[in-house]
Amino acid sequence: MRDNGHVQSTGTTTLAHRLPAKVEWPTVAVAVAIWSMWIVLVLAHRSIPWPVSLIGLAIAGGWYMSLQHEVIHGHPTPWKTVNLLIGCWPIHFWLPYQVFRDEHLEHHEIELTVPGVDPESFYVSPAGWAEAGWLRRTFLRVNRTYLGRVLVGPLVGVPSHVIGQIRKALRDRADARIWLVHLVAVAAIAWVVFGVVGMPVWEYLVGFFWLGLSLTYTRSFVEHRAVPDPAGRTAFVQSGKLFGLLFLFNNLHHAHHARPGMAWYRLPALSAELGSAEVARQTAGYYRTYREVIRRYAFRPFDVPVHPVMAEAATPRPTER
């Protein structure tokens, strides 16, 4: 939805679940490319130099998460089962597709960046910061730099997230079944990749999981910023065709939140129609390239760990005499 050029962060579940009227062949082509790439990298790993393999696995890993994001929003066919078969497989190992889907759709339903409410932001509340020990505070600070997010984030943030979800599943029978199916599927995939095919565990985990997730974190690093206007918390990165294809134009994030059910290849035109670049420039941020993002925030924090709007609201104001 849109209101005066700004994104509304509620009421999008219907759009997120709406299936296309016909097959979206550009997305099908992307799915074929990703799965072909993954199969070749796994089956032919002995004949591929490991540095080349790591790069290929990283690209396949990041690209697959972009594909899963499209599937979550109802693409690319009119048939839900076919869509699931395209993007539900846990070849990343770490999170069940259903959990990823539910968390992401929730992200489209609530006020963005709010700690404990928005599952895709990394802010903490003033109370959460006050309760955090020095180790967690250190991670929260490091995680606000680009290099910290892509190098440390997958190694610290993912285990923490998974542990939290498993604790939740232990209290809910439906969630427990989801995780049980997930673990069985992961065991089967691991047996084929590592046992039958013989791919080194370290090569797959470093390339597909860690570096692949780092690519995804590159895309999402500046996506949301806690500005005072909740409707203006989505950013815009004007990347080239290469990153646009790798991220399936989710870098045009203002447009995606404005119309979450829109197919990825239609987002550039939608961005121009909505004036997304200018809206983001005045709110959450506009960036010309990811090179600019990395140059600005490689070592410098993108924002403070504590949600700035909540922190300001919690700060006592001096009483007037």
Side-chain angles (χ1 to χ4, degrees):
M1 291 184 182
R2 187 162 59 102
D3 181 17
N4 298 325
H6 293 297
V7 176
Q8 295 290 336
S9 59
T10 58
T12 60
T13 297
T14 302
L15 285 173
H17 280 294
R18 186 177 298 161
L19 295 170
K22 58 184 180 180
V23 175
E24 297 169 337
W25 291 110
T27 311
V28 172
V30 166
V32 170
I34 292 169
W35 279 109
S36 299
M37 190 176 182
W38 183 80
I39 291 170
V40 168
L41 287 167
V42 170
L43 292 182
H45 70 274
R46 289 186 177 88
S47 59
I48 301 174
W50 68 262
V52 177
S53 177
L54 291 183
I55 294 171
L57 287 168
I59 293 171
W63 210 7
Y64 182 65
M65 289 200 73
S66 296
L67 176 64
Q68 284 190 306
H69 176 259
E70 283 294 296
V71 172
I72 284 171
H73 285 290
H75 307 284
T77 79
W79 307 289
K80 184 177 180 180
T81 301
V82 174
N83 295 343
L84 283 173
L85 290 174
I86 288 173
C88 74
W89 303 98
I91 53 178
H92 276 114
F93 294 160
W94 70 283
L95 198 65
Y97 169 80
Q98 293 95 320
V99 174
F100 180 27
R101 178 198 63 198
D102 292 348
E103 285 187 340
H104 183 73
L105 294 181
E106 180 185 9
H107 168 76
H108 278 277
E109 283 290 337
I110 45 76
E111 184 175 321
L112 297 176
T113 75
V114 175
V117 177
D118 183 1
E120 295 192 18
S121 296
F122 290 88
Y123 291 99
V124 294
S125 66
W129 180 261
E131 295 171 359
W134 70 268
L135 188 60
R136 175 160 173 74
R137 287 189 177 188
T138 299
F139 168 70
L140 290 171
R141 290 191 182 101
V142 169
N143 198 44
R144 279 297 171 189
T145 67
Y146 170 75
L147 287 178
R149 179 70 59 83
V150 300
L151 296 178
V152 181
L155 302 180
V156 178
V158 168
S160 175
H161 190 180
V162 169
I163 290 171
Q165 287 295 330
I166 290 176
R167 285 175 176 169
K168 178 182 175 184
L170 292 175
R171 301 189 299 269
D172 186 288
R173 186 170 296 179
D175 285 342
R177 283 196 295 268
I178 289 172
W179 273 95
L180 180 60
V181 172
H182 172 73
L183 292 175
V184 170
V186 166
I189 293 168
W191 174 71
V192 172
V193 173
F194 305 137
V196 176
V197 180
M199 188 169 202
V201 175
W202 74 267
E203 187 175 330
Y204 189 85
L205 293 183
V206 170
F208 196 81
F209 168 73
W210 184 25
L211 297 180
L213 194 54
S214 292
L215 267 180
T216 300
Y217 278 0
T218 296
R219 190 214 74 223
S220 65
F221 181 64
V222 295
E223 276 184 353
H224 298 288
R225 190 161 199 158
V227 297
D229 181 3
R233 292 178 178 173
T234 48
F236 187 99
V237 183
Q238 185 71 63
S239 72
K241 291 182 179 179
L242 178 61
F243 280 105
L245 181 60
L246 178 62
F247 297 146
L248 299 186
F249 288 124
N250 201 25
N251 50 289
L252 310 179
H253 211 57
H254 175 271
H256 171 62
H257 270 269
R259 307 278 173 81
M262 184 71 71
W264 65 275
Y265 51 89
R266 301 187 187 279
L267 288 177
L270 178 64
S271 296
E273 176 190 335
L274 299 178
S276 295
E278 187 57 34
V279 172
R281 193 191 309 273
Q282 298 173 10
T283 53
Y286 167 83
Y287 304 90
R288 292 185 298 275
T289 62
Y290 281 101
R291 196 180 308 115
E292 177 187 353
V293 172
I294 295 170
R295 176 174 51 80
R296 290 173 62 175
Y297 301 118
F299 300 99
R300 185 164 63 92
F302 158 67
D303 203 357
V304 293
V306 182
H307 196 281
V309 179
M310 295 178 67
E312 182 179 356
T315 302
R317 299 184 181 274
T319 55
E320 296 183 2
R321 294 180 180 270

